[in-house]
Every structure is written in C-alpha cells, then in structure tokens.
Amino acid sequence: LFDRTVAALSEHHIPVDTGDFRLMSRRIVDRLNAMPERDRFIRGMVAWLGGRQTELLYDRDARHAGVTHYTLRRMVRLAADGLIGFSTAPLRLATLMAVIGVFAGVGLLAYIVAGLIVGSTVPGWASLALIVVFFSTAQLVCLSIFGEYLGRTYMQAKGRPLYLIDEI
C-alpha cells in the first residue's frame, strides 16, 4: 500500500514492491553517495538516478528467528521521507481544497438565491454561511500559492543535479 501511494503521488517513477536490498554499479553508488540529502529514501533516490534496472523475482521465506527491530515510529518516518522527499502533492492539497471551496461557495450562492426567489430563507444564515465559505476559500487559495512556492524552494534546496552525464 505504501509503495503504491508513494508511486502515485511521486513526480518520478518509483517502482512498486521493491525493497532496499539491491545490487548497484559503482557509478550509481558514487552518485547516490554524492547526493546531499539527509533524510534518504533509498528506493526513490535510486529510481531518480535512473540507469538500467532489472527486477529479480524470488520467493521470500518467513523470518526464521527473532522479530523486526523496525518499529512503527521508524516505518512512519520512512513513509514520510518517501512521500515528502519525492512529491509536492501534500502541499498541493490546499489547491484542491480551494477548488472544492469555490464550487461549494458557488453552490451555496445558488441555494441562497433560490431561497430568496422562493421566499424561504432564515434571517442571517445565508450571509453568515457565505462569508465563512468565502474567507475560508480565500485562505486556502493563499495557502496553495504559498505551498507552490514552498514546494519549488524545497526541490531547489535539495541540491540535486539538473541532469546526470552518463559518459564523456
């Protein structure tokens, strides 16, 4: 579920159902080590680097002894690193909510106008509801603009190269 969520929200193709255990060429390892990021989501970083990748299917046996030492807290942190490190989709959530708010405001306005025409209005309700929806939507629009700038600044601050040269 996690891999599919990150793959769907990521701006780069990240293969699903892959682990962190892999064989890599020296060139990819050097490029991976040269990346300045602190919160590393290895699956995404290797996919971002590109190169030729081939899957090797195998049947993984159950753990023979012991239990995993990867706690729920560490798994949640890995999920956050994967989602935040390779996607600005969480920041764009404000844009989606602002669009929904605009449609809700237009629908509310149509409902209010229809109520005025029919003559079945509750005094004060319409103006209060319209003011709340209008200002909430205005805040979400401002937040979405801020989120776009923040996302672009974040992607620049990672210091990833614009392109990688394979051979000279």
Side-chain angles (χ1 to χ4, degrees):
L1 178 65
F2 162 71
D3 286 338
R4 284 169 177 69
T5 303
V6 170
L9 296 176
S10 176
E11 291 148 11
H12 304 286
H13 174 69
I14 299 176
V16 297
D17 297 330
T18 60
D20 289 333
F21 183 74
R22 62 187 74 226
L23 295 174
M24 295 185 282
S25 68
R26 171 53 47 194
R27 183 176 30 172
I28 293 294
V29 171
D30 291 342
R31 288 178 177 173
L32 185 64
N33 288 336
M35 293 176 81
E37 296 178 42
R38 289 182 176 270
D39 299 317
R40 293 178 161 242
F41 179 61
I42 300 297
R43 291 175 222 173
M45 293 173 75
V46 170
W48 181 86
L49 285 169
R52 190 176 62 214
Q53 298 181 21
T54 304
E55 66 180 17
L56 177 63
L57 300 175
Y58 67 96
D59 293 325
R60 188 174 70 190
D61 294 333
R63 184 185 295 261
H64 291 287
V67 294
T68 181
H69 294 286
Y70 219 73
T71 63
L72 178 63
R73 182 178 181 179
R74 289 176 70 189
M75 283 190 262
V76 169
R77 182 176 172 122
L78 175 68
D81 288 344
L83 189 60
I84 293 169
F86 285 88
S87 176
T88 56
L91 292 173
R92 292 195 172 129
L93 182 63
T95 304
L96 175 65
M97 294 189 67
V99 169
I100 291 170
V102 167
F103 284 121
V106 169
L108 182 62
L109 184 62
Y111 178 76
I112 291 169
V113 169
L116 288 173
I117 292 171
V118 173
S120 63
T121 60
V122 177
W125 174 87
S127 59
L128 181 64
L130 198 56
I131 287 170
V132 168
V133 169
F134 174 77
F135 283 110
S136 297
T137 303
Q139 287 177 345
L140 284 171
V141 167
C142 292
L143 190 60
S144 66
I145 292 169
F146 179 73
E148 283 296 320
Y149 280 110
L150 183 64
R152 291 172 192 217
T153 303
Y154 174 64
M155 290 300 177
Q156 288 289 327
K158 285 185 188 184
R160 290 182 185 165
L162 295 176
Y163 51 88
L164 299 169
I165 299 173
D166 193 27
E167 286 184 33
I168 296 181

